[in-house]
Amino acid sequence: QRNTHHAVPENMDLRFADFEQKESDQLEMVAFNMAEIMDIVQDQGDKIDQIECEIEKVSCIVQRNIEMALDRGELLEDLDDKAVNLSAEASLFSKRSRQLGSRAMRRRK
């Protein structure tokens, strides 16, 4: 007498093999998808590194331009001071020239 309660269906091995194959296929698909995701993440990381490098270059250029502008500002201030001094000297020269001219005219009389 056979206990039908614990009887294994004949096609059980086939269904189990099907299940194992499907599970294996799914695991391969997950591994493939993970590899693709890792490639994308790596590419994004490379792009971020490139962007950070470009930002560093631009930052250096901006710093250098600011320093040059400050230097130029100091030069302009120096030029402005010299222009003010030159103007004052020119006014003094003009005043003294008129005074000398007036003296010379008085002596001739």
Side-chain angles (χ1 to χ4, degrees):
Q1 269 186 324
R2 196 170 194 192
N3 186 349
T4 58
H5 219 55
H6 297 290
V8 176
E10 294 173 6
N11 63 353
M12 184 63 134
D13 286 340
L14 291 175
R15 282 193 271 169
F16 186 69
D18 256 359
F19 174 77
E20 280 185 323
Q21 184 60 45
K22 286 179 184 174
E23 188 177 74
S24 175
D25 290 347
Q26 288 175 347
L27 287 174
E28 284 180 29
M29 186 60 94
V30 167
F32 178 74
N33 288 341
M34 289 298 289
E36 282 186 341
I37 291 169
M38 292 302 290
D39 286 345
I40 291 170
V41 168
Q42 182 63 42
D43 288 346
Q44 294 301 320
D46 292 345
K47 288 178 184 176
I48 290 171
D49 289 344
Q50 288 174 345
I51 291 169
E52 286 176 343
C53 183
E54 289 298 317
I55 289 171
E56 184 64 30
K57 287 179 186 176
V58 170
S59 176
C60 288
I61 291 170
V62 168
Q63 259 184 333
R64 187 176 39 188
N65 287 345
I66 289 171
E67 288 171 4
M68 289 170 59
L70 290 173
D71 289 345
R72 235 181 282 128
E74 289 174 7
L75 290 174
L76 290 174
E77 287 176 16
D78 290 345
L79 283 175
D80 188 48
D81 290 345
K82 289 178 182 179
V84 167
N85 288 340
L86 184 61
S87 178
E89 293 290 327
S91 291
L92 186 59
F93 178 80
S94 178
K95 182 179 176 183
R96 287 184 180 165
S97 295
R98 279 192 303 271
Q99 288 173 349
L100 259 157
S102 294
R103 284 185 197 162
M105 291 291 272
R106 278 186 272 173
R107 283 186 185 174
R108 286 187 182 176
K109 290 184 181 182

